[in-house]
Amino acid sequence: MATFTYESIKYRFKNPTVDGNLDLLDDGASLKIAADDDLVLTHSGSVGDITCSTGALDINAGTLNIKDEASSETMASFVSDGAVTLNHDNAARLATSSAGVSITGTTTSSGTITSSANLVIADGGTIGSASDTDAITIAAGGAVTFSQTPVFPDGSLPLADLDIDGGTDIGAALVDADLMIVDDGAGGTNRKSTMSRMKTYILSSVYPVGSIFISTSSTSPATSLGFGSWSRFGEGKMLVSQSSSDSDFDTAEETGGAKTHTLSEANLAAHTHLTMNTGNGFGTNLENNTTGTGTTNSRGGLGNNDYIMQSVSSAANAGKTSSTGSGTAVTHMNPYIVTYMWKRTS
């Protein structure tokens, strides 16, 4: 049987010594320590409680284990090197140091881990959810790899954060296969697009349906630009700007004109011709008449060489000049240079 010795104080024990067990048999009985009952150990019959009302509660042990009463499984271990192992439901292991808190292992327990210091995982360690345990992997050098595409709340990434001044230049000419980031409308989703689609968008705005494309290459714009349906336009014709005040040019695609033109009598400038009529058939002596007005002449000598020169307007004495001209069409082509022209039809 255990022995129990003490110094008697009213309602209390002083300096008790127990050789064996000390049993407090009443539920709610308390074991009080210190002059002002600063440390109290109590069990209500269903819940045990340790209360330290003054100062800190220090537990000194090389390893302090907290176990499950029913299974005797160690739920938490506090080790002298500062490591804390939470083993309930395969809980995580926390190792504390001056640099922060290091967590190894996995946990299925609910709740939140909060740290006011650094949170460090092993090189190549992962952070994830129960369904995707390696959603985030952090390499030894700090590079972060996501197993899924990161999703940011709308408007959470300021435009200024997309500053690309620090990026590396592509170092080559842009090509159709190069990609760019496009926001598909206000408040939309960022998506990618090739440079070829950007080129098509810009050029199709520059050359809408009905536009004329001029080139020295025979390749159709449908091939060289990569969009639309095109047909040859204005073959063998020059372009003239539309003019509402001129009926020849007041309608788009109106045609007219010709490369050559054959002159008619009406196209000739007003002018006169000289003719003669002599009295005795000698019509060779016209040196004294150069104006086409009526005149007479008598040279004398061998026979009667007198002649009368009538004016051209004298119908009764009208003569006829010799024929000239061939009726060849007149070319009135401006200096030109040949190109290919197409019209966008759709």
Side-chain angles (χ1 to χ4, degrees):
M1 178 180 290
T3 60
F4 180 68
T5 60
Y6 60 93
E7 297 179 31
S8 178
I9 302 177
K10 185 177 180 180
Y11 306 124
R12 298 191 177 192
F13 299 116
K14 180 179 180 181
N15 300 322
T17 301
V18 179
D19 182 11
N21 297 327
L22 176 62
D23 295 332
L24 303 181
L25 300 179
D26 292 334
D27 288 340
S30 298
L31 178 61
K32 300 180 180 180
I33 303 174
D36 297 321
D37 297 338
D38 297 322
L39 179 63
V40 180
L41 285 74
T42 306
H43 196 282
S44 66
S46 59
V47 177
D49 181 69
I50 299 177
T51 301
C52 181
S53 60
T54 302
L57 176 64
D58 294 332
I59 301 176
N60 297 314
T63 300
L64 175 63
N65 295 324
I66 299 177
K67 296 187 176 183
D68 179 16
E69 187 275 335
S71 64
S72 296
E73 178 185 4
T74 299
M75 297 183 295
S77 294
F78 299 82
V79 188
S80 59
D81 63 1
V84 179
T85 300
L86 305 178
N87 195 41
H88 182 63
D89 290 336
N90 297 319
R93 173 179 170 83
L94 289 81
T96 63
S97 68
S98 60
V101 179
S102 178
I103 302 178
T104 60
T106 61
T107 179
T108 58
S109 298
S110 60
T112 302
I113 298 177
T114 302
S115 173
S116 60
N118 297 327
L119 180 63
V120 179
I121 66 174
D123 291 344
T126 62
I127 301 173
S129 64
S131 300
D132 186 3
T133 58
D134 60 349
I136 301 175
T137 302
I138 304 178
V144 179
T145 301
F146 297 90
S147 65
Q148 307 294 332
T149 302
V151 178
F152 300 96
D154 290 343
S156 65
L157 191 62
L159 186 61
D161 290 344
L162 295 177
D163 186 356
I164 60 174
D165 287 344
T168 302
D169 190 276
I170 190 173
L174 296 175
V175 297
D176 287 350
D178 288 340
L179 298 176
M180 68 186 73
I181 299 175
V182 178
D183 184 344
D184 60 354
T189 302
N190 286 338
R191 304 181 187 274
K192 65 181 179 180
S193 175
T194 60
M195 285 298 299
S196 62
R197 294 172 65 185
M198 176 62 74
K199 179 178 69 176
T200 297
Y201 171 74
I202 294 175
L203 289 178
S204 62
S205 299
V206 175
Y207 292 102
V209 174
S211 297
I212 304 301
F213 182 85
I214 301 177
S215 174
T216 58
S217 170
S218 61
T219 302
S220 168
T223 300
S224 60
L225 300 183
F227 63 88
S229 297
W230 301 77
S231 60
R232 286 294 304 276
F233 180 79
E235 295 178 82
K237 293 180 173 60
M238 297 181 181
L239 300 180
V240 177
S241 179
Q242 187 270 351
S243 173
S244 299
S245 61
D246 191 326
S247 60
D248 289 334
F249 311 126
D250 60 352
T251 304
E253 299 191 44
E254 192 173 6
T255 59
K259 293 171 62 176
T260 62
H261 178 69
T262 301
L263 298 178
S264 66
E265 184 177 349
N267 298 132
L268 300 177
H271 63 285
T272 60
H273 292 273
L274 301 180
T275 62
M276 76 172 185
N277 188 358
T278 66
N280 60 1
F282 294 96
T284 60
N285 301 312
L286 302 177
E287 66 272 20
N288 293 335
N289 189 291
T290 59
T291 64
T293 60
T295 185
T296 61
N297 183 49
S298 176
R299 302 187 64 181
L302 298 176
N304 184 7
N305 292 326
D306 294 338
Y307 65 88
I308 301 171
M309 185 66 180
Q310 303 291 339
S311 66
V312 175
S313 62
S314 178
N317 297 289
K320 181 171 73 171
T321 63
S322 60
S323 175
T324 186
S326 64
T328 302
V330 177
T331 299
H332 43 74
M333 177 67 69
N334 292 324
Y336 61 86
I337 185 170
V338 176
T339 63
Y340 293 92
M341 293 191 294
W342 284 267
K343 175 185 174 184
R344 184 179 175 187
T345 56
S346 66

